[in-house]
Each structure stands twice: as C-alpha cells, then as structure tokens.
Amino acid sequence: MTRRLTGLFVAFLLACVPNVLAQDVTTQQQKIVSSNLASTKFIAGLFWSSSTGLHRRCAATIVANNVLLTSASCALDKYPNLAFGPGQWVVVTSGDSRFTQNLTASAVQPSAVKSVDIDQCANLATITLTTPLVLSDTIKPILMNTAQVPPTAMLNTYNTSNPYGNPFLALTQGNQQQCETMKPQFAQDKFICTQPVQGQFITSDYLGGDPIIGFSVQGATPVAVLVGITGQFYSTLVNAQNGGINDPMAYRFSALVGSRVAQIASTAGVDALTLTSANPLG
C-alpha cells in the first residue's frame, strides 16, 4: 500500500506542486512565533468519521466561523473510505484532540462538514461547516494574507503531525530558477516554493495541509497571518520517497491563500476585508 500511495502522490505532484528550504527556528523567531501562536487557536483537525471511530487525516485552518482550509491531497476521501469504511468528514477543534490520530465518537463533539470544494491543480480544499463554530478565546480564525510575499519574509509552518515541544518550523523560499525547473510558472499558478524542512519527511508528511504563517507589520507587535497551506513534496531521490531521510532536493509547492479570498468570503457570507490583512509581511 505504501508503494502504491507513493506512486500516486508523485504522479499528482507532476501536475501541480511548490518549493522550500528550512532551518531550525532561531531564538528570535521562536519568541515571535510563540507570542503570536502559543495556543494555535486557528488550527483544527480534519477527521474521517465512520463506524470504527474518528480518524485524523490532517490539519484544517480556521479562516471564518464556517470555513476552513486544507490541502486537496488531504481532503480526497478515497483512502479513508477504503481504510476505515463508509463515513463522512468532520472537524475537531478542541484541545489536544485536534492532533490525536484516532478518537472515539464520544470523546469529542465534532463539527459536521457540509461540503468540501477541492481544487486539485492548486492543491487546496475549502471546507464548509453545516453549523458555524462558536468562536471563543480558544477557537478563533486567522486573518488571510493578501500582501505580496517577499523572498525575505519570515515564514513558519506548524508541524501538526508532532505538535508538542516546539512544532514550529522555519521556511526558506526556494531559488526562483530551481523552482521553475520543477514547476514552470509556479508563481503565476499561485504557489509558494520552499526548500526542505528539517524534521519533515515525505513518508510522514506527504499530504500537506498545515498552515504557513507569516507576520504582518502593524505597530510594535507583528500579527500572525495565514500565507498558505502546505502542499506536497517534489523529490528527485527514490530514497526520500521510501525512507526517513531529508532529501535536499525535495522542494515543496504550497498553495497561497490570497487568491482565494473572494471565494472564501462569499462562502462565509461576510465582507472579504473582515477576513484578510493587506499589511506588508516582515
């Protein structure tokens, strides 16, 4: 099954993908990230609910009280249906349950998913809930970035497959020419290309779906904003597809969310300005 899935996702990548070079988060970055994202109020979990319980597929990022974003490769329901039986998608927003791989139906009160709009070319999925979330001090949406993303912008992703300790991973954007070699016109297709991230491997993180966070410059304290949703890897090494190594050529192409704001605002039934930040990224 592992070999079959690997072949499928590599084929998918050839159609739509991005790039990243990552290093450990510096002390200064850790302070900024921790102060802004300590409780990760905007991160939920997308689960497959069947007769065998709730099974976590990946993260989903809250951008409105009834709309969340994840990767298309995560939200395709063929695999969970085969693995866990017929069911439906639900969203879990409470505490550590969001990151737990398997849950019993009685352990949480999941939110029912009304629809999942999948854009495979952008590798982005828009999740609409049947009933809006009750927002609180621990469940809040994050503003979506509509400003340009300069090559020097400080970006981090939150490793929801291992959310304990320091799960924040610094991202470095890939070289423009190298990215275009792997995916021509990736920028025009609204992808961000990053280099490999230390601690993330193709075998454990090939679905993507985690938030990419930037920091908008407004006042003395930068504000966390959603820049994109992590996509899949593109690798030139077979070993990186089958083993726990960090392939230096495993560039990643992730979906930028700015181009989807109007659609998301329409789905949420709100003014797009209430969901976005146009302030420059630091």
Side-chain angles (χ1 to χ4, degrees), residues 11-12 24 29 44 81 86 101 133 153 170 203 209 218 223 247 249 256:
F12 178 92
D24 290 335
Q29 287 176 328
N81 186 69
Q101 199 61 36
L133 297 171
T203 50
Q218 47 188 78
V223 173
D247 178 4
M249 294 299 293
L256 291 170

Side-chain angles (χ1 to χ4, degrees), residues 75-143:
L76 294 171
D77 60 8
K78 293 181 180 178
Y79 173 75
N81 186 69
L82 289 173
F84 307 115
Q88 55 277 324
W89 291 118
V90 296
V91 166
V92 174
T93 58
S94 56
D96 287 350
S97 297
R98 299 170 291 169
F99 310 118
T100 303
Q101 199 61 36
N102 297 292
L103 296 169
T104 59
S106 60
V108 293
Q109 291 183 320
S111 298
V113 170
K114 179 181 179 180
S115 64
V116 181
D117 179 23
I118 293 178
D119 184 342
Q120 279 191 280
C121 251
N123 198 16
L124 190 68
T126 303
I127 302 165
T128 305
L129 301 179
T130 302
T131 303
L133 297 171
V134 177
L135 302 180
S136 66
D137 289 340
T138 58
I139 302 174
K140 289 185 177 180
I142 183 171
L143 293 176

Side-chain angles (χ1 to χ4, degrees), residues 43-214:
I43 296 178
L46 181 64
F47 285 73
W48 184 253
S49 176
S50 71
S51 60
T52 58
L54 303 182
H55 308 279
R56 188 181 186 277
R57 188 67 167 152
C58 61
T61 301
I62 304 168
V63 293
N65 66 355
N66 63 338
V67 180
L68 302 91
L69 299 177
T70 190
S71 65
S73 47
C74 168
L76 294 171
D77 60 8
K78 293 181 180 178
Y79 173 75
N81 186 69
L82 289 173
F84 307 115
Q88 55 277 324
W89 291 118
V90 296
V91 166
V92 174
T93 58
S94 56
D96 287 350
S97 297
R98 299 170 291 169
F99 310 118
T100 303
Q101 199 61 36
N102 297 292
L103 296 169
T104 59
S106 60
V108 293
Q109 291 183 320
S111 298
V113 170
K114 179 181 179 180
S115 64
V116 181
D117 179 23
I118 293 178
D119 184 342
Q120 279 191 280
C121 251
N123 198 16
L124 190 68
T126 303
I127 302 165
T128 305
L129 301 179
T130 302
T131 303
L133 297 171
V134 177
L135 302 180
S136 66
D137 289 340
T138 58
I139 302 174
K140 289 185 177 180
I142 183 171
L143 293 176
M144 291 179 287
N145 172 67
T146 58
Q148 287 190 329
V149 185
T152 56
M154 189 180 79
L155 303 176
N156 290 268
T157 188
Y158 187 88
N159 185 7
T160 58
S161 64
N162 184 21
Y164 307 103
N166 178 25
F168 297 103
L169 302 172
L171 302 181
T172 300
Q173 294 184 56
N175 176 276
Q176 180 89 11
Q177 291 181 333
Q178 292 175 339
C179 295
E180 287 185 347
T181 297
M182 295 187 179
K183 185 171 178 58
Q185 298 184 325
F186 77 93
Q188 288 88 334
D189 291 338
K190 307 302 181 184
F191 283 109
I192 185 170
C193 175
T194 58
Q195 293 176 309
V197 178
Q198 185 65 35
Q200 287 186 310
F201 308 116
I202 288 179
T203 50
S204 62
D205 189 33
Y206 65 91
L207 292 175
D210 291 334
I212 296 176
I213 307 302

